[in-house]
Coordinates of all heavy atoms in Angstrom, one line a residue:
S319 N 99.7 117.9 115.4 CA 100.4 119.2 115.3 C 100.4 119.9 116.6 O 101.5 120.4 117.0 CB 99.7 119.9 114.2 OG 99.8 119.3 113.0
P320 N 99.4 120.1 117.3 CA 99.5 120.7 118.6 C 100.4 120.0 119.6 O 101.1 120.7 120.4 CB 98.1 120.7 119.2 CG 97.2 120.7 118.0 CD 97.9 119.7 117.0
L321 N 100.4 118.7 119.6 CA 101.3 118.0 120.5 C 102.8 118.3 120.2 O 103.6 118.5 121.1 CB 101.1 116.5 120.4 CG 102.1 115.5 121.1 CD1 102.0 115.7 122.6 CD2 101.8 114.1 120.7
H322 N 103.1 118.2 118.9 CA 104.5 118.4 118.6 C 105.0 119.9 118.5 O 106.0 120.3 118.1 CB 104.9 117.7 117.3 CG 104.9 116.2 117.3 ND1 106.0 115.5 117.4 CD2 103.8 115.3 117.3 CE1 105.8 114.2 117.6 NE2 104.4 114.1 117.5
S323 N 104.0 120.8 118.7 CA 104.3 122.2 118.8 C 104.6 122.7 120.2 O 104.8 123.9 120.5 CB 103.2 123.1 118.2 OG 102.0 122.9 119.0
T324 N 104.6 121.7 121.1 CA 104.9 122.0 122.5 C 106.4 122.2 122.8 O 106.8 122.5 124.0 CB 104.3 120.9 123.4 OG1 104.9 119.7 123.1 CG2 102.7 120.9 123.3
G325 N 107.2 121.9 121.9 CA 108.7 122.0 122.0 C 109.3 120.6 122.3 O 110.5 120.5 122.5
V326 N 108.5 119.6 122.4 CA 109.1 118.2 122.6 C 109.9 117.8 121.5 O 110.9 117.0 121.7 CB 107.9 117.3 122.8 CG1 107.0 117.1 121.6 CG2 108.4 115.9 123.4
D327 N 109.7 118.3 120.3 CA 110.6 117.8 119.1 C 112.0 118.3 119.3 O 113.0 117.7 119.0 CB 110.0 118.3 117.8 CG 108.7 117.5 117.5 OD1 108.5 116.5 118.1 OD2 108.0 117.9 116.4
V328 N 112.1 119.5 119.8 CA 113.4 120.1 120.0 C 114.1 119.4 121.1 O 115.3 119.1 121.1 CB 113.4 121.6 120.4 CG1 114.6 122.2 120.7 CG2 112.6 122.4 119.3
D329 N 113.4 119.0 122.2 CA 114.1 118.2 123.3 C 114.5 116.9 122.8 O 115.5 116.4 123.1 CB 113.0 118.1 124.5 CG 112.6 119.4 125.0 OD1 113.5 120.4 124.9 OD2 111.5 119.5 125.6
L330 N 113.6 116.3 121.9 CA 114.0 114.9 121.4 C 115.2 114.9 120.5 O 116.0 114.1 120.4 CB 112.8 114.3 120.6 CG 111.7 113.8 121.5 CD1 110.5 113.3 120.6 CD2 112.2 112.5 122.3
Q331 N 115.3 116.1 119.7 CA 116.4 116.2 118.8 C 117.7 116.3 119.4 O 118.8 115.8 118.9 CB 116.1 117.4 117.9 CG 117.1 117.5 116.7 CD 116.9 116.4 115.7 OE1 115.8 115.8 115.5 NE2 117.9 115.9 115.1
R332 N 117.8 116.9 120.7 CA 119.0 117.0 121.4 C 119.5 115.6 121.8 O 120.8 115.5 121.9 CB 118.9 117.9 122.6 CG 118.6 119.3 122.2 CD 119.0 120.2 123.4 NE 118.0 119.9 124.6 CZ 116.9 120.6 124.8 NH1 116.6 121.5 124.1 NH2 116.2 120.3 125.8
I333 N 118.6 114.7 122.0 CA 119.1 113.4 122.5 C 119.1 112.3 121.4 O 119.4 111.1 121.6 CB 118.3 112.9 123.7 CG1 116.8 112.7 123.2 CG2 118.4 113.9 124.9 CD1 115.9 112.2 124.4
T334 N 118.7 112.6 120.2 CA 118.6 111.7 119.1 C 119.9 111.4 118.6 O 120.7 112.4 118.2 CB 117.6 112.2 118.0 OG1 116.3 112.3 118.6 CG2 117.4 111.1 116.9
L335 N 120.3 110.2 118.3 CA 121.6 109.9 117.7 C 121.6 110.3 116.2 O 120.7 110.4 115.5 CB 121.8 108.4 117.8 CG 121.8 107.7 119.1 CD1 122.1 106.2 119.1 CD2 122.9 108.4 120.0
P336 N 122.9 110.7 115.7 CA 122.9 111.2 114.3 C 122.7 110.1 113.3 O 122.6 110.4 112.1 CB 124.2 111.8 114.3 CG 125.1 111.1 115.4 CD 124.1 110.7 116.4
S337 N 123.0 108.8 113.6 CA 123.0 107.7 112.7 C 121.5 107.4 112.2 O 120.6 107.8 112.9 CB 123.6 106.4 113.2 OG 122.9 106.1 114.4
I338 N 121.4 106.9 111.0 CA 120.1 106.5 110.4 C 119.1 107.6 110.7 O 118.1 107.4 111.3 CB 119.6 105.1 110.9 CG1 119.6 104.9 112.4 CG2 120.4 104.0 110.3 CD1 118.9 103.7 113.0
N339 N 119.4 108.8 110.2 CA 118.6 110.0 110.6 C 117.3 109.9 110.2 O 116.3 110.3 110.9 CB 119.4 111.2 110.0 CG 118.8 112.5 110.2 OD1 118.4 112.7 111.4 ND2 118.5 113.4 109.4
R340 N 117.0 109.4 108.9 CA 115.6 109.4 108.5 C 114.8 108.4 109.2 O 113.6 108.7 109.6 CB 115.6 109.0 106.9 CG 116.2 110.0 106.0 CD 116.0 109.6 104.6 NE 116.5 110.6 103.7 CZ 116.5 110.5 102.3 NH1 115.9 109.4 101.8 NH2 117.0 111.3 101.6
L341 N 115.3 107.3 109.6 CA 114.6 106.4 110.4 C 114.2 106.9 111.8 O 113.1 106.8 112.4 CB 115.3 105.0 110.5 CG 114.6 103.9 111.4 CD1 113.2 103.6 110.8 CD2 115.5 102.7 111.4
R342 N 115.2 107.6 112.5 CA 115.0 108.2 113.7 C 114.0 109.3 113.7 O 113.2 109.4 114.6 CB 116.4 108.7 114.3 CG 117.3 107.5 114.6 CD 118.6 108.1 115.3 NE 119.6 107.0 115.3 CZ 119.7 106.0 116.2 NH1 118.7 105.8 117.1 NH2 120.7 105.1 116.1
H343 N 114.1 110.1 112.7 CA 113.1 111.1 112.5 C 111.7 110.6 112.4 O 110.7 111.1 113.0 CB 113.4 112.1 111.3 CG 112.4 113.0 111.0 ND1 112.3 114.2 111.8 CD2 111.4 113.2 110.0 CE1 111.3 114.9 111.4 NE2 110.8 114.4 110.2
F344 N 111.6 109.5 111.7 CA 110.2 108.9 111.4 C 109.7 108.4 112.8 O 108.6 108.4 113.2 CB 110.4 107.8 110.4 CG 109.2 106.9 110.3 CD1 108.1 107.3 109.6 CD2 109.1 105.7 111.0 CE1 106.9 106.6 109.5 CE2 107.9 104.9 110.9 CZ 106.9 105.3 110.1
T345 N 110.7 107.7 113.5 CA 110.3 107.2 114.9 C 109.9 108.3 115.8 O 108.8 108.3 116.5 CB 111.5 106.5 115.5 OG1 111.9 105.4 114.7 CG2 111.1 105.9 116.8
N346 N 110.6 109.5 115.9 CA 110.3 110.6 116.7 C 108.9 111.2 116.3 O 108.2 111.7 117.2 CB 111.3 111.6 116.7 CG 112.6 111.2 117.4 OD1 112.6 110.1 118.0 ND2 113.7 112.0 117.2
D347 N 108.6 111.1 115.0 CA 107.4 111.8 114.6 C 106.2 110.9 114.6 O 105.0 111.5 114.5 CB 107.7 112.3 113.1 CG 106.8 113.5 112.8 OD1 106.6 114.3 113.7 OD2 106.4 113.7 111.6
T348 N 106.3 109.6 114.6 CA 105.2 108.7 114.6 C 105.0 107.9 115.7 O 104.1 107.9 116.6 CB 105.2 107.9 113.2 OG1 106.5 107.3 113.2 CG2 105.1 108.8 112.0
I349 N 106.0 106.8 115.8 CA 105.8 105.8 116.8 C 105.9 106.4 118.2 O 105.2 105.8 119.1 CB 107.0 104.7 116.6 CG1 106.9 104.2 115.2 CG2 106.9 103.6 117.7 CD1 108.0 103.2 114.9
L350 N 106.6 107.4 118.5 CA 106.7 108.0 119.9 C 105.3 108.5 120.3 O 105.1 108.8 121.5 CB 107.8 109.0 119.9 CG 109.2 108.6 120.0 CD1 110.1 109.7 120.2 CD2 109.3 107.4 121.0
D351 N 104.4 108.7 119.4 CA 103.1 109.2 119.8 C 102.4 108.2 120.8 O 101.7 108.7 121.7 CB 102.1 109.4 118.6 CG 102.5 110.6 117.8 OD1 103.3 111.5 118.4 OD2 102.0 110.8 116.7
V352 N 102.7 106.9 120.6 CA 102.1 105.9 121.5 C 102.7 106.2 123.0 O 102.0 106.1 124.0 CB 102.4 104.5 121.1 CG1 102.0 103.4 122.0 CG2 101.9 104.3 119.7
F353 N 104.0 106.5 123.1 CA 104.6 106.7 124.4 C 104.2 108.0 124.9 O 104.0 108.1 126.1 CB 106.2 106.7 124.2 CG 106.7 105.3 123.8 CD1 107.0 105.1 122.4 CD2 106.9 104.3 124.7 CE1 107.4 103.8 122.0 CE2 107.4 103.0 124.3 CZ 107.6 102.8 122.9
F354 N 104.0 109.0 124.1 CA 103.4 110.3 124.5 C 102.1 110.0 125.2 O 101.8 110.7 126.2 CB 103.3 111.3 123.4 CG 104.5 111.9 123.0 CD1 104.8 112.0 121.6 CD2 105.5 112.2 123.8 CE1 106.0 112.6 121.2 CE2 106.8 112.7 123.5 CZ 106.9 113.0 122.1
Y355 N 101.2 109.2 124.6 CA 99.9 109.0 125.2 C 100.0 108.2 126.6 O 99.1 108.4 127.4 CB 99.0 108.2 124.2 CG 97.6 108.2 124.7 CD1 96.8 109.4 124.7 CD2 97.0 107.0 125.2 CE1 95.6 109.3 125.2 CE2 95.7 106.9 125.6 CZ 95.0 108.1 125.6 OH 93.6 108.1 126.1
N356 N 101.1 107.6 126.8 CA 101.3 106.9 128.1 C 102.1 107.8 129.1 O 102.3 107.3 130.2 CB 102.0 105.5 127.9 CG 101.1 104.4 127.3 OD1 99.9 104.4 127.7 ND2 101.7 103.7 126.4
S357 N 102.3 109.0 128.7 CA 102.9 109.9 129.6 C 101.9 110.9 130.2 O 101.1 111.3 129.4 CB 104.0 110.8 128.9 OG 104.3 112.0 129.6
P358 N 101.9 111.0 131.5 CA 100.9 111.9 132.2 C 100.8 113.3 131.6 O 99.8 113.9 131.3 CB 101.3 112.0 133.7 CG 102.1 110.7 133.9 CD 102.8 110.5 132.6
T359 N 101.9 113.9 131.3 CA 102.1 115.2 130.8 C 101.5 115.4 129.4 O 100.6 116.2 129.1 CB 103.5 115.7 130.9 OG1 104.1 115.7 132.1 CG2 103.6 117.2 130.3
Y360 N 102.0 114.5 128.5 CA 101.6 114.6 127.1 C 100.2 113.9 126.9 O 99.5 114.3 125.9 CB 102.6 114.0 126.2 CG 103.8 114.9 126.3 CD1 105.0 114.3 126.9 CD2 104.0 116.1 125.7 CE1 106.2 115.1 127.0 CE2 105.1 116.9 125.8 CZ 106.2 116.3 126.4 OH 107.4 117.1 126.5
C361 N 99.8 113.0 127.7 CA 98.4 112.5 127.6 C 97.4 113.5 127.9 O 96.4 113.5 127.2 CB 98.3 111.2 128.6 SG 96.7 110.5 128.5
Q362 N 97.7 114.3 128.9 CA 96.8 115.5 129.2 C 96.7 116.4 128.0 O 95.6 116.9 127.7 CB 97.3 116.2 130.5 CG 96.3 117.3 130.9 CD 95.0 116.7 131.5 OE1 95.2 115.9 132.5 NE2 93.9 116.9 130.9
T363 N 97.8 116.6 127.4 CA 97.8 117.5 126.2 C 97.0 116.9 125.0 O 96.2 117.6 124.4 CB 99.2 117.7 125.6 OG1 100.0 118.4 126.8 CG2 99.3 118.7 124.5
I364 N 97.1 115.6 124.8 CA 96.4 115.0 123.7 C 94.9 114.9 124.0 O 94.1 115.3 123.1 CB 97.0 113.5 123.6 CG1 98.4 113.5 123.0 CG2 96.1 112.7 122.6 CD1 99.1 112.2 123.0
V365 N 94.5 114.5 125.2 CA 93.1 114.5 125.4 C 92.4 115.8 125.5 O 91.3 116.0 124.9 CB 92.7 113.7 126.7 CG1 93.1 112.2 126.6 CG2 93.3 114.4 128.0
D366 N 93.1 116.8 126.0 CA 92.7 118.2 126.0 C 92.5 118.7 124.5 O 91.5 119.4 124.2 CB 93.6 119.1 126.7 CG 93.5 119.0 128.2 OD1 92.5 118.3 128.7 OD2 94.4 119.4 129.0
T367 N 93.5 118.4 123.7 CA 93.4 118.8 122.3 C 92.3 118.2 121.6 O 91.5 118.9 120.8 CB 94.8 118.5 121.6 OG1 95.9 119.2 122.2 CG2 94.8 119.0 120.1
V368 N 92.1 116.9 121.7 CA 91.0 116.2 121.0 C 89.7 116.7 121.4 O 88.9 117.0 120.6 CB 91.2 114.7 121.2 CG1 89.9 113.9 120.7 CG2 92.4 114.1 120.5

Side-chain angles (χ1 to χ4, degrees):
S319 299
L321 171 66
H322 288 261
S323 63
T324 58
V326 64
D327 287 351
V328 178
D329 298 334
L330 285 173
Q331 191 61 36
R332 288 199 299 265
I333 60 176
T334 301
L335 300 181
S337 59
I338 51 173
N339 185 42
R340 291 185 179 180
L341 179 58
R342 296 187 192 279
H343 175 73
F344 173 79
T345 302
N346 291 349
D347 208 31
T348 55
I349 300 176
L350 285 188
D351 285 349
V352 179
F353 298 96
F354 284 140
Y355 190 66
N356 286 324
S357 160
T359 302
Y360 295 107
C361 179
Q362 187 70 61
T363 302
I364 293 173
V365 296
D366 285 346
T367 301
V368 171

